[in-house]
Amino acid sequence: MEWTTLAATGLGAFVGVGSTLLADRVRRHHDLAERTRQERKEIYVACLTKYRQAYEDMYAAASRPPEGVARETAVHEAFRASGCDEVRESALICAPQELSDVIERVYETLRDLLDVLAGGEPPLDSPEFQERRLQHGRAVWAARTAMRRDLGLRD
């Protein structure tokens, strides 16, 4: 057997093993990136869903507090029971800083609504309350847009 044949066989084996290892590394990197993106998506959806649930439950508690329970207590309990604090922390840990700021803005507007709903001022049918509700809605919309961008989704 000639040495060139042996060298060519060795080089072919080296190239084959190397390309297989490189392909596996690229595939692992892609799979990890996709898993991370999917986890962030689930956290973002949970965050916005919990924020929405908190608002709806607080509004219901402010509109019709349970018998014998003060409005303020009912609204605060609805907020605590929503789980939005827990999911907010998860989102802040996983999100890039720019998105964390957007998530925090939604949370701030939700806390503002908590104060309004618990205190009863301004009244729920007032333009002032509607403006605060719209501020929250705009913050949620901005968060959705930022989340979609972070996840690489097209508009």
Side-chain angles (χ1 to χ4, degrees):
M1 182 186 285
E2 286 189 39
W3 71 270
T4 55
T5 304
L6 186 59
T9 302
L11 182 61
F14 179 74
V15 168
V17 169
S19 64
T20 299
L21 290 174
L22 180 62
D24 284 347
R25 183 177 176 162
V26 168
R27 189 173 16 261
R28 275 194 317 270
H29 179 72
H30 175 74
D31 290 347
L32 177 61
E34 183 56 30
R35 262 194 323 272
T36 301
R37 189 185 75 76
Q38 189 61 35
E39 288 169 0
R40 281 195 331 257
K41 178 182 175 185
E42 290 171 9
I43 289 169
Y44 295 163
V45 168
C47 185
L48 292 178
T49 302
K50 293 286 185 178
Y51 284 1
R52 180 66 187 169
Q53 189 66 50
Y55 169 74
E56 289 175 2
D57 291 349
M58 289 186 312
Y59 187 88
S63 300
R64 299 173 305 284
E67 186 78 27
V69 177
R71 173 187 178 139
E72 181 178 13
T73 303
V75 171
H76 279 279
E77 182 52 38
F79 180 80
R80 275 191 295 282
S82 71
C84 67
D85 279 330
E86 294 83 357
V87 77
R88 170 181 163 248
E89 291 301 324
S90 295
L92 294 177
I93 288 170
C94 296
Q97 186 60 49
E98 176 185 316
L99 192 51
S100 293
D101 294 341
V102 174
I103 291 168
E104 275 298 282
R105 176 68 185 131
V106 177
Y107 187 76
E108 289 168 8
T109 62
L110 185 62
R111 292 295 301 216
D112 180 57
L113 288 170
L114 167 66
D115 294 341
V116 169
L117 291 166
E121 288 297 324
L124 300 182
D125 59 352
S126 70
E128 294 87 5
F129 175 76
Q130 294 307 316
E131 179 55 36
R132 286 187 165 152
R133 194 179 60 76
L134 287 173
Q135 286 174 356
H136 177 68
R138 286 190 290 269
V140 168
W141 195 258
R144 279 189 199 116
T145 301
M147 289 171 180
R148 288 178 58 79
R149 188 172 40 252
D150 181 54
L151 295 171
L153 301 174
R154 293 183 286 198
D155 288 334

